[in-house]
Amino acid sequence: MVLREKVWVDRNVQGVLIGRVVLYWISALLYAGLGSACFQYYQHPDWTLLSHAMALFNQFWPWLPSAILCLPLVIFDVVRLSNSFAGPIYRLRKHLDELNDDPNCRPLSFRDDDYWQDLAEPMHCLQAELLMLRAEVVRLRNLKGSSRPVSVPAP
């Protein structure tokens, strides 16, 4: 995967994804913990609360560092993956702004490993159509009887 200049391309979209990852991680930990606690309680209903807590701690402490270290790795991977679909939409938005200001702007391009590569071709067609229509407006204004050439004003 190509290194990105920006880690956070679209904070709204990527933030929601990270929130979901954290929510699922917490849910998995709670599911495993509560399931084990219930199972342990039904096997030893005569134990005290402190005995149950100690037994659960002894059962889960070897797994806790792995669970804690796994979360940042998953978050990093989700952010990297989301750049492949948030990045093209970000570039499409920026290209539309550029196209609005100057139809002669550079063509839209995506990175090789980005999703939605097929969005570039319709944008190229739209840009060519816009350039052709603006040229036609200039030609028609000039035909209308103006002795001097008229350029299309910027929107």
Side-chain angles (χ1 to χ4, degrees):
M1 185 170 253
V2 178
L3 289 176
R4 307 289 179 176
E5 291 178 22
K6 294 171 73 174
V7 174
W8 294 99
V9 177
D10 189 335
R11 287 186 184 272
N12 292 334
V13 172
Q14 291 175 301
V16 168
L17 290 172
I18 297 308
R20 289 293 173 98
V21 166
V22 171
L23 178 68
Y24 296 150
W25 179 78
I26 290 171
S27 298
L29 290 179
L30 285 174
Y31 176 78
L34 289 174
S36 293
C38 289
F39 182 74
Q40 180 181 303
Y41 176 76
Y42 287 123
Q43 287 213 321
H44 306 284
D46 54 327
W47 286 6
T48 66
L49 185 62
L50 183 61
S51 299
H52 283 294
M54 293 288 288
L56 279 174
F57 178 76
N58 288 333
Q59 185 178 6
F60 278 105
W61 78 263
W63 298 99
L64 200 56
S66 301
I68 291 171
L69 290 175
C70 186
L71 182 63
L73 294 174
V74 172
I75 288 174
F76 176 75
D77 187 53
V78 167
V79 169
R80 257 182 78 184
L81 176 66
S82 67
N83 280 337
S84 296
F85 59 84
I89 298 303
Y90 173 79
R91 279 189 288 286
L92 178 62
R93 256 193 327 242
K94 291 199 61 96
H95 182 73
L96 287 171
D97 288 341
E98 289 176 20
L99 193 59
N100 191 32
D101 294 337
D102 177 21
N104 287 316
C105 66
R106 61 170 176 68
L108 176 65
S109 63
F110 299 126
R111 294 174 192 249
D112 291 338
D113 59 339
D114 280 344
Y115 293 111
W116 299 321
Q117 293 285 335
D118 56 336
L119 287 177
E121 186 56 34
M123 281 306 301
H124 296 157
C125 293
L126 180 65
Q127 188 171 0
E129 182 78 13
L130 182 60
L131 285 170
M132 192 257 327
L133 289 173
R134 287 212 175 176
E136 184 67 14
V137 167
V138 169
R139 187 185 72 77
L140 290 174
R141 283 187 180 166
N142 288 335
L143 278 178
K144 189 176 175 183
S146 175
S147 58
R148 58 186 166 82
V150 178
S151 63
V152 176

